Amino acid sequence: MSPSVPLQEMIRAIRSARTQCEERGVIQRECAAIRAQFRQSDNGGRSHNLAKLLYVHMLGYPAHFGQMECVRMIASPRYSEKRVGYLGAMMLLDEKQDASLLITNSIKNDLSHSNQYVQSLALCTLACMGSAEMCRDLAPEIDRLLRASNSYIKKKAALCAVHIVRKVHDLGEMFAPAARSLLSEKNHGVLHGAVVLITELCERNLETLEKFRKAVPDLVQIMKGLVISGYSPEHDVAGISDPFLQVRILRLLRILGHNNEAASDAMNDLLAQVATNTDSTKTVGNAVLYETVLTVLDIKSESGLRVLAVNILGRFLLNNDRNIRYIAMISLQKIVGTDHNAVQRHRGTIVDCLKDQDASVKRRALDLSLALVSASNIRSMMKELLIFLSSCPLELRSQAASGIFIAAERYAPSQRWHIDTILHVLTTAGGDVRDETVPNLIQLITNASELHCYTVHKLYRALLTDISQQSLVQVACWCIGEYGDLLLRGECQETEPVQVHEDDVLDALETVLQSHMSSPATRGFALTATMKLSTRITDNVDRIRSIVSIYGSCIDVELQQRAVEYNALFKKYDHMRAAVLERMPVIEKTAPGQTNGESTGEPIKDIQSVKVKQGELLLPQPPANQVHDTNVYEKDGVTLTMSCEKQSATGLTVTLTASNSTESDISSLTLQAAVPKSVQLHMKAPSGDSLPARGAAKVTQMVVLNNPNKVGLTRIRISYSSQGSAFQDTIQIDAFPGLSAAGH
Amino acid sequence: MQFMLLFSRQGKLRLQKWYVPLSDKERKKISRDLVQTILARKPKMCSFLEWRDLKIVYKRYASLYFCCAVEDQDNELITLEIIHRYVELLDKYFGSVCELDIIFNFEKAYFILDEFLLGGEAQETSKKNVLKAIEQADLLQEVRIFLYHQIHLL
């Protein structure tokens, strides 16, 4: 092995440069020399020159002027030059460069070279940086090599075929037959390549996968041979015979057994054998066990085998090696949905991993812990999660906080516990929670009416300790404003009685108002709270008046506006002040996606999907704005007429007219409409809600629809009161008059 | 495997093998950022990390970090074994390999890697066979050079 002297001298020179600037100088000189050498004709030192350039390139300096030299070297008859030339091609040429196409011909020639090491160079380069075009060109060559060459070349051809298939998916079919026959080879390198190739083919094409299922018995045989066979020094790694091949076979078996009973049955025994007999003291054994577990959990395995697999993961969790613990948690995460109870058994260990030093392990443990929270373990799990939250790394905090909120909402054993938990999170990680937390918490608090006193006391105390967590401060201010009277009353069932004076409360709010830590939104909360207290306290109303008037000239426009309005409330509308500032009613949780015109919170937008006729109209519709009137409902004297007017190709305006022919008046008339998801609906305000008797007057309501699929199905609900009783009915409308049914 | 990087504790790249098509600029950016991320990790931390939707497996051998980016379905533990096998091959070839060997004979390090991995996958699972192939290829290189020098002298 003779070292390249010129190369090594240059490397020494570069390394002895003491500054970046000096290094640049050396490199510039060398590059100039290299460029000069490239221009000269064949001088025997070409490979050394290119090698020098590649070194320079690795240091991060530009080397594109070497690309053509690579192309020339690859075409050289000298092996040493070819070798460096191909190396240069892999380093300097990627498929995006035009020059890469120029080497296609050289590769083609070298693929059929008499010397296998030259063939090897070509195969390696093609598999590393071959573009789709090159792959298409050379695929037949590769297929030929797959069938008729020695093991050394076959194994390389197989992996080259893998690259080709990744680049040009359709070519997969070409290699399937050759791949199948390779499975009967004895050479491990060839077997490995064949398994990788078959895996790639099966992942891409369902038909190919079906065909290769027949190979499962062969694969099981090969695997058995590896597992049972005696010591084979050539392939042994710490007592495991060719773990690389074992892992690849297991992965292929996973793909073949997925969703297929027969194939899964055929591999069941083997998997059980590997799972039980593989030595797990070293990483290599665990690598095989890991792959086995993944396979067992992804195929239709027997329940006994599944339990075995989950237990292996459980053992992994207790392993000293952090890597193994991490792997275990990733796998458990994948099955926590399907094998929930099995994973629950290892909850203790998982929760312990929350305290691990490593951030990746912590993250996995957090994900898993949140997935394992249930009604029965909520209290103990929450304790652990809250401990975790107080010491967890910053990047995990918001994830932890939102996970805790979701878990708390789903499984809270009591309202007080729920409120306590949220307060705890706000105190620990208030800066990392999402914005909806504040209104959600406020709503929760209003709903827990027995706990108002307890909550406001607790929040007040929290406010006194720390005003930096904005979400917490906002909620605290709101509560103090709303329930200030309870705060001042002093006694509270749930906590020790504490005497709170009006001045203290106003001090606290003023501190928030004036603090530079408070955001504008927070100060808004504080100001409003102060104002609300004016009806809940007795002695210090003047103080509140003065605070409010000061903020009337605040720079912050929002605060200024509020202060001015409150001022007005004091001065001109003092008689209304008590009513305006009284206790709020319980807030209902609003359903998402309500449109104008629907009176209650019920969402009625989800109709069964309707069969829709789509496509080009054979008979194009006449564009005129046609108006049609139809009776859609007539019952108990109440009539509903519908009139449609086309506004555009998809837009339609529907006017509903209701009339009452009975002897008694009808009141509280409401109309609601529901449409399929593809239609947009906009209901305008009705003209009124009462229908006097004997048709004395009518009520009209306009509905605007955007109906791109020309769907007709709409449901209209009509409700009203007559003679003290409530009536409700639903009308189904299959087609809109004006949208001709013919031709669709 | 998408790529393999070898770098020193100071962040200097000693070997970079890319199996996915990326421009020089993109490669530089990825290398720089990933190297920084790994160097910032503490010694006892996990060998696996998720970085920019890539799975990274790395291990430190003396003054060199060996770092691979693998696909989602790849087995991380066996990747550690692949890294270890490569180190063993280098060790056998250079005789108690150290970082300097890889610096001054970087092209040999590449040749050995290319005899062990092909297109990002292991091509030969027998240590003996890989070393034998390298030996033969080196011999081929030597013989030709020798022949050339002979002619030159005459």
Side-chain angles (χ1 to χ4, degrees), chain A residues 14-26 61, chain B residues 12:
Chain A
I14 294 175
R15 280 170 64 80
S16 54
R18 274 159 300 173
T19 63
Q20 184 78 349
C21 189
E22 219 181 299
E23 179 182 288
R24 256 197 298 264
V26 174
Y61 294 91
Chain B
K12 282 204 120 84

Side-chain angles (χ1 to χ4, degrees), chain A residues 152 291 322-323 326 358, chain B residues 44 46-47 50 75 115 125:
Chain A
Y152 181 72
E291 199 72 33
R322 183 171 280 129
N323 292 335
Y326 179 83
D358 184 316
Chain B
K44 282 274 160 73
C46 196
S47 287
E50 280 131 57
N75 182 324
E115 209 50 58
T125 56

Side-chain angles (χ1 to χ4, degrees), chain A residues 261-448:
Chain A
E261 294 268 359
S264 303
D265 277 338
M267 54 181 86
N268 201 75
D269 286 343
L270 168 72
L271 292 172
Q273 196 170 24
V274 178
T276 4
N277 292 344
T278 307
D279 175 24
S280 57
T281 47
K282 296 266 176 62
T283 307
V284 65
N286 287 325
V288 175
L289 280 173
Y290 176 44
E291 199 72 33
T292 313
V293 166
L294 287 178
T295 302
V296 167
L297 295 174
D298 204 37
I299 63 171
K300 293 207 175 289
S301 45
E302 275 175 13
S303 61
L305 192 54
R306 277 189 100 84
V307 169
L308 183 59
V310 178
N311 285 346
I312 291 178
L313 290 179
R315 270 203 333 261
F316 277 5
L317 275 180
L318 299 166
N319 196 305
N320 282 330
D321 188 341
R322 183 171 280 129
N323 292 335
I324 309 280
R325 291 205 295 275
Y326 179 83
I327 291 294
M329 283 197 277
I330 292 186
S331 316
L332 287 169
Q333 184 79 42
K334 291 197 194 135
I335 58 164
V336 74
T338 48
D339 300 69
H340 191 92
N341 292 331
V343 183
Q344 278 282 6
R345 255 177 255 136
H346 304 282
R347 196 178 71 240
T349 328
I350 293 170
V351 166
D352 280 339
C353 288
L354 283 171
K355 303 185 190 100
D356 198 298
Q357 299 287 347
D358 184 316
S360 323
V361 173
K362 274 213 232 280
R363 177 183 305 231
R364 294 277 148 228
L366 176 64
D367 284 342
L368 259 180
S369 303
L370 288 172
L372 289 175
V373 173
S374 71
S376 47
N377 59 35
I378 179 73
R379 282 190 195 266
S380 51
M381 284 297 274
M382 194 52 80
K383 259 199 217 91
E384 297 288 346
L385 287 169
L386 289 173
I387 295 174
F388 173 72
L389 187 65
S390 50
S391 59
C392 82
L394 288 170
E395 62 268 15
L396 290 178
R397 278 179 126 199
S398 71
Q399 191 185 338
S402 45
I404 288 174
F405 282 151
I406 295 173
E409 194 172 318
R410 220 181 271 173
Y411 302 112
S414 74
Q415 278 181 325
R416 177 176 159 170
W417 181 95
H418 194 174
I419 291 176
D420 279 343
T421 308
I422 298 187
L423 289 181
H424 192 134
V425 173
L426 287 180
T427 348
T428 338
D432 298 298
V433 300
R434 282 201 304 262
D435 295 330
E436 311 93 71
T437 319
V438 172
N440 283 347
L441 179 55
I442 289 178
Q443 192 200 332
L444 188 64
I445 291 173
T446 56
N447 277 328

Side-chain angles (χ1 to χ4, degrees), chain A residues 1-4 7-8 11-12 15 23 43-44 51 54-55 57-61 77-80 83-84 87 90-91 94-96 115 117 120 123-124 127-128 152 155-156 159-160 166-167 187-189 192 196 203 234-237 242-245 247-248 251 254 283-284 286-287 290-291 322-324 326-327 330 357-361 363-364, chain B residues 1 12-24 26-28 41-50 55 71-78 80-82 85 93-94 99-100 102-108 110-112 114-130 132-134 136-138 140-142 144-145 148:
Chain A
M1 170 203 24
S2 65
S4 160
L7 169 64
Q8 303 211 325
I11 297 178
R12 240 183 294 268
R15 280 170 64 80
E23 179 182 288
N43 54 17
L54 295 179
Y55 183 81
H57 171 76
M58 195 159 59
L59 289 178
Y61 294 91
R78 288 201 198 99
Y79 180 71
S80 55
R83 214 181 187 192
V84 182
L87 179 63
M90 287 190 272
M91 284 175 77
D94 59 79
E95 63 177 42
K96 297 185 185 147
N115 188 304
Y117 297 105
S120 158
L123 285 165
C124 184
C128 181
Y152 181 72
K155 73 185 188 205
K156 295 184 190 250
L159 291 176
C160 208
R166 283 179 186 159
K167 281 283 175 207
N187 180 297
H188 281 224
H192 188 273
V196 176
E203 275 173 349
E234 201 175 320
H235 297 108
D236 182 274
V237 181
D242 207 338
F244 304 106
L245 183 56
V247 165
R248 288 316 301 234
R251 186 161 141 188
R254 177 155 82 244
T283 307
V284 65
N286 287 325
Y290 176 44
E291 199 72 33
R322 183 171 280 129
N323 292 335
I324 309 280
Y326 179 83
I327 291 294
I330 292 186
Q357 299 287 347
D358 184 316
S360 323
V361 173
R363 177 183 305 231
R364 294 277 148 228
Chain B
M1 196 182 295
K12 282 204 120 84
L13 269 181
R14 298 300 178 206
L15 184 146
Q16 44 170 330
K17 188 78 188 178
W18 297 83
Y19 295 107
V20 287
L22 287 166
S23 71
D24 232 11
E26 290 167 309
R27 290 181 185 184
K28 274 212 189 111
R41 283 170 79 83
K42 298 199 265 287
K44 282 274 160 73
M45 287 174 94
C46 196
S47 287
F48 315 129
L49 67 141
E50 280 131 57
K55 270 205 318 200
E71 316 283 0
D72 245 355
Q73 324 91 294
D74 284 332
N75 182 324
E76 293 95 323
L77 294 176
I78 210 76
L80 277 178
E81 288 301 312
I82 287 185
R85 174 57 66 88
Y93 183 81
F94 288 109
E99 192 185 340
L100 280 178
I102 299 181
I103 295 172
F104 281 94
N105 299 283
F106 77 97
E107 80 277 24
K108 298 284 200 304
Y110 275 102
F111 296 150
I112 295 171
D114 284 341
E115 209 50 58
F116 175 44
L117 301 179
L118 198 97
E121 308 279 351
Q123 59 176 291
E124 179 56 69
T125 56
S126 153
K127 224 188 313 187
K128 192 179 82 177
N129 286 352
V130 177
K132 206 162 51 169
I134 298 281
Q136 295 292 337
D138 278 348
L140 198 61
Q141 199 169 311
E142 298 305 316
R144 295 293 168 96
I145 292 177
Y148 176 77

